[in-house]
């Protein structure tokens, strides 16, 4: 009999960076935990929030940055410019902050058509204007032809957090309802279909949108927000697994309650993707006390970006490591786990 040597098909230790290290899954967490956070460790970074929350002379500010490398630059429902502005606005909003100012840094590949760059910049300005924020500083660099995929964008943002607002993973409590404001997985599928030149019967557009106004509506109507998280890289599943781990609670989701459009689900079925792990760019998970569930849904559904809001689960008891359990229609509980990387790279 030949000797058998076990060989794991998904190695989790690398001596060089691979694409999966940027995918929002287990490898990215490993990269952050073993290389990045130990070097920069400080109390603000350890908040593990979408934005850093800092206090200056009694005023609390949210501060964040993100880089965008989506391919292609233009996709149904948006482009890299709109994505860069909305993504950073949403990171600020997830801390309960009202966005104030943004930066814009461009890394441009030699050969990019000037008309494309102008279209993207105008898209950024439109998204910023609609949100009522200013793009106040930035930087421009160029790289050699063939070294930059056209254009990369980095945006940073700063916003103001109101008094009595405490939106944080540490504020999650047992009994909290988990609500989503929109359907799942549309952004990732829209970008992937455009990149691969695939056509379905119905055109699927990204849900790319600024959610800061919707969050402010909740706060102004007195909704007690315990936590928010936008469902970008890694989708709903990865975001909730991270929050469950941070809060050390068990989250229970009802599979039949999860909103996935039929055309998106059909694309996922054909291509073998799990919609729970695919990115959104206009969808968040909201944690509120159970007693405020209906009030929160009422506020959300009055806003165009929250018309499809649904309660999809709840926070249960304390759990040492934290976990997310998906209750299937036949009554079986499926524990969700992080993917090693990401099903669809370069989608944000």
């Amino acid at each position: 009999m030949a000797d058998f040597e076990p060989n794991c098909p998904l190695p989790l230790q690398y001596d060089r960076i691979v694409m999966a290290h940027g995918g929002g899954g287990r490898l990215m967490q490993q990269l952050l935990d073993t290389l990045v956070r130990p070097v920069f460790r400080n109390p603000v970074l350890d908040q593990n929030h979408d934005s850093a929350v800092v206090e200056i002379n009694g005023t609390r500010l949210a501060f964040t940055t993100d880089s965008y490398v989506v391919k292609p630059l233009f996709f149904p429902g948006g482009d890299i410019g709109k994505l860069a502005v909305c993504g950073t606005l949403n990171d600020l909003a997830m801390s309960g902050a009202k966005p104030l100012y943004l930066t814009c840094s461009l890394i441009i590949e030699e050969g990019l058509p000037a008309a494309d760059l102008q279209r993207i910049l105008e898209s950024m300005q439109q998204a910023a204007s609609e949100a009522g924020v200013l793009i106040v500083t930035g930087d421009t660099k160029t790289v050699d032809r063939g070294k930059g995929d056209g254009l990369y964008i980095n945006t940073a943002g700063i916003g103001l957090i109101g008094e009595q607002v405490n939106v944080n993973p540490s504020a999650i409590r047992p009994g909290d309802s988990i609500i989503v404001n929109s359907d799942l997985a549309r952004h990732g599928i829209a970008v992937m279909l455009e990149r691969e030149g695939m056509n379905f019967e119905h055109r699927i557009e990204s849900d790319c949108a600024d959610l800061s106004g919707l969050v402010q509506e909740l706060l102004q109507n007195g909704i007690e927000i315990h936590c928010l998280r936008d469902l970008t890289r890694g989708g709903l599943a990865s975001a909730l697994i991270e929050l469950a781990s941070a809060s050390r609670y068990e989250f229970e989701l009802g599979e039949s309650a999860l909103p996935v459009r039929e055309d998106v689900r059909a694309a996922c079925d054909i291509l073998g993707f799990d919609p729970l792990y695919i990115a959104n760019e206009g969808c968040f998970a909201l944690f509120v006390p159970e007693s405020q569930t209906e009030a929160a849904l009422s506020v959300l559904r009055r806003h165009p970006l929250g018309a499809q809001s649904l309660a999809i689960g709840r926070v249960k008891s304390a759990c040492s490591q934290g976990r997310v359990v998906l209750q299937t229609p036949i009554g079986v509980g499926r524990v969700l786990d992080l993917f090693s990387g990401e099903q669809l790279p370069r989608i944000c």
Side-chain angles (χ1 to χ4, degrees), residues 126-206:
Q126 180 178 347
S129 296
E130 290 174 355
V133 303
L134 299 176
I135 298 173
V136 293
T137 189
D139 181 51
T140 302
K141 297 287 192 303
T142 56
V143 297
D144 295 337
R145 187 184 297 268
K147 301 292 180 61
D149 274 336
L151 178 67
Y152 301 143
I153 299 178
N154 173 274
T155 46
I158 192 165
L160 184 65
I161 301 176
E163 295 182 5
Q164 311 300 323
V165 175
N166 180 29
V167 180
N168 195 291
S170 64
I172 293 174
R173 294 290 180 269
D176 280 357
S177 292
I178 305 172
I179 295 171
V180 293
N181 67 298
S182 185
D183 57 289
L184 304 173
R186 206 160 9 113
H187 174 73
I189 290 298
V191 172
M192 192 281 295
L193 294 179
E194 183 70 11
R195 181 189 304 168
E196 302 302 327
M198 302 175 68
N199 295 312
F200 279 63
E201 182 177 355
H202 298 101
R203 178 180 170 90
I204 298 174
E205 293 192 347
S206 167

Side-chain angles (χ1 to χ4, degrees), residues 250-267:
E250 177 179 311
F251 299 170
E252 182 181 73
L253 305 180
E255 185 174 15
S256 58
L258 299 179
V260 181
R261 287 185 1 175
E262 284 304 313
D263 51 0
V264 173
R265 188 180 296 282

Side-chain angles (χ1 to χ4, degrees), residues 65-279:
T65 185
D66 208 340
S67 298
Y68 298 86
V69 297
V70 65
K71 183 180 180 181
L73 300 179
F74 301 93
F75 49 84
D79 56 69
I80 190 173
K82 179 181 179 181
L83 187 66
V85 171
C86 291
T88 296
L89 293 175
N90 291 344
D91 282 345
L92 294 172
M94 295 305 105
S95 297
K98 180 178 175 54
L100 297 175
Y101 301 105
L102 299 181
T103 71
C104 169
S105 292
L106 306 171
I107 300 175
I108 308 168
E109 180 186 348
E110 181 184 24
L112 177 72
D116 285 356
L117 180 59
Q118 180 175 7
R119 182 179 164 194
I120 288 166
L121 295 177
E122 290 174 351
S123 178
M124 295 184 75
Q125 178 57 33
Q126 180 178 347
S129 296
E130 290 174 355
V133 303
L134 299 176
I135 298 173
V136 293
T137 189
D139 181 51
T140 302
K141 297 287 192 303
T142 56
V143 297
D144 295 337
R145 187 184 297 268
K147 301 292 180 61
D149 274 336
L151 178 67
Y152 301 143
I153 299 178
N154 173 274
T155 46
I158 192 165
L160 184 65
I161 301 176
E163 295 182 5
Q164 311 300 323
V165 175
N166 180 29
V167 180
N168 195 291
S170 64
I172 293 174
R173 294 290 180 269
D176 280 357
S177 292
I178 305 172
I179 295 171
V180 293
N181 67 298
S182 185
D183 57 289
L184 304 173
R186 206 160 9 113
H187 174 73
I189 290 298
V191 172
M192 192 281 295
L193 294 179
E194 183 70 11
R195 181 189 304 168
E196 302 302 327
M198 302 175 68
N199 295 312
F200 279 63
E201 182 177 355
H202 298 101
R203 178 180 170 90
I204 298 174
E205 293 192 347
S206 167
D207 62 345
C208 182
D210 161 35
L211 297 169
S212 61
L214 184 56
V215 172
Q216 290 301 309
E217 284 284 329
L218 290 166
L219 293 171
Q220 290 164 10
N221 280 276
I223 301 301
E224 182 184 347
I225 301 175
H226 283 175
C227 189
L228 281 162
R229 182 59 58 93
D230 53 347
L231 310 177
T232 55
R233 283 178 303 176
L236 173 73
S238 297
L240 294 188
I241 291 167
E242 290 174 13
L243 290 175
S245 177
S247 63
R248 298 185 183 276
Y249 287 117
E250 177 179 311
F251 299 170
E252 182 181 73
L253 305 180
E255 185 174 15
S256 58
L258 299 179
V260 181
R261 287 185 1 175
E262 284 304 313
D263 51 0
V264 173
R265 188 180 296 282
C268 289
D269 288 344
I270 292 170
L271 299 168
F273 296 139
D274 186 339
L276 298 186
Y277 291 86
I278 293 180

Side-chain angles (χ1 to χ4, degrees), residues 27-99:
L27 275 180
M28 193 181 84
Q29 290 302 318
Q30 185 184 75
L31 177 72
L32 296 175
D33 291 341
T34 59
L35 290 181
V36 179
R37 290 194 177 104
V39 174
F40 297 129
R41 173 144 286 143
N42 62 70
V44 178
L45 182 65
D46 289 345
Q47 295 169 353
N48 288 329
H49 214 345
D50 277 340
S51 299
V53 177
V54 296
E55 185 169 329
I56 302 174
N57 296 330
T59 299
R60 287 189 302 153
L61 299 172
F63 184 34
T64 190
T65 185
D66 208 340
S67 298
Y68 298 86
V69 297
V70 65
K71 183 180 180 181
L73 300 179
F74 301 93
F75 49 84
D79 56 69
I80 190 173
K82 179 181 179 181
L83 187 66
V85 171
C86 291
T88 296
L89 293 175
N90 291 344
D91 282 345
L92 294 172
M94 295 305 105
S95 297
K98 180 178 175 54

